[in-house]
Amino acid sequence: GVKGRARVCSPDAESDNPRFFAPDGIAVNFFIENWLLITVAFVSGGMLVWPLARGGGGAGAVGASEAVRLMNREKAVLIDVSEPREFDASHAAQARNVPIGQLETSKDLPTNKALPVVVVCPTGARSGRAAATLRKMGYANARALAGGTAAWRDAGLPVEKSGTAAA
């Protein structure tokens, strides 16, 4: 062969480094040589799709403004799953305190399971789990407040401390 020129391989060409071709002419070696890249692409794609599949579409977290809209237009109930001392220190106005450990036995949850329920905690870490628990209990419209009480406060919405208005 001529030096410096690319060697074109075909299924019948003899070579020290044979390339395998699929019947339609696409190099199978591309997949063999780039298996790690292909695997990373599939895994990252799966990680993007997983929250949609797991959360059931519209059951994701909502922002503070969406929570207020749900409360005003659809009579959503705001449930704070903080522990009582956290709730007393700071909570969103109009929130009912139902600690996460007492969700399944609480009488403070709305009896109408069709009403939207917005679940909040101080940081938003527990509210996602609590919303999932409520959905399993039949509250199909249970959603977590993204960012928790901190996001509620940052949006300029009223926060209370031990029953008195703080903001």
Side-chain angles (χ1 to χ4, degrees):
V2 179
K3 287 190 173 198
R5 295 186 79 182
R7 179 185 247 176
V8 177
C9 295
S10 64
D12 59 346
E14 291 184 29
S15 168
D16 295 354
N17 184 13
R19 298 218 175 241
F20 301 99
F21 287 82
D24 61 353
I26 297 175
V28 174
N29 268 0
F30 174 81
F31 296 104
I32 293 170
E33 293 170 359
N34 296 297
W35 69 270
L36 184 61
L37 178 67
I38 294 166
T39 302
V40 168
F42 276 108
V43 169
S44 64
M47 289 171 61
L48 289 171
V49 173
W50 178 254
L52 294 174
R54 186 172 163 236
V62 295
S65 60
E66 176 66 8
V68 170
R69 188 194 69 75
L70 287 169
M71 292 170 68
N72 290 338
R73 294 194 180 155
E74 299 181 33
K75 307 294 183 224
V77 178
L78 192 59
I79 302 291
D80 192 321
V81 293
S82 306
E83 293 304 315
R85 63 178 168 67
E86 294 173 309
F87 183 81
D88 290 342
S90 177
H91 61 272
Q94 300 179 5
R96 299 180 191 177
N97 185 220
V98 181
I100 193 166
Q102 299 172 10
L103 270 179
E104 296 182 14
T105 59
S106 178
K107 302 291 183 209
D108 290 329
L109 296 173
T111 54
N112 181 357
K113 293 185 177 186
L115 281 177
V117 177
V118 178
V119 186
V120 64
C121 70
T123 62
R126 288 175 276 186
S127 58
R129 283 186 291 139
T133 300
L134 287 170
R135 284 192 296 273
K136 288 179 187 172
M137 293 170 55
Y139 293 91
N141 295 320
R143 297 180 181 188
L145 177 65
T149 307
W152 183 270
R153 185 182 308 107
D154 292 345
L157 297 168
V159 177
E160 298 175 348
K161 293 182 181 183
S162 301
T164 60

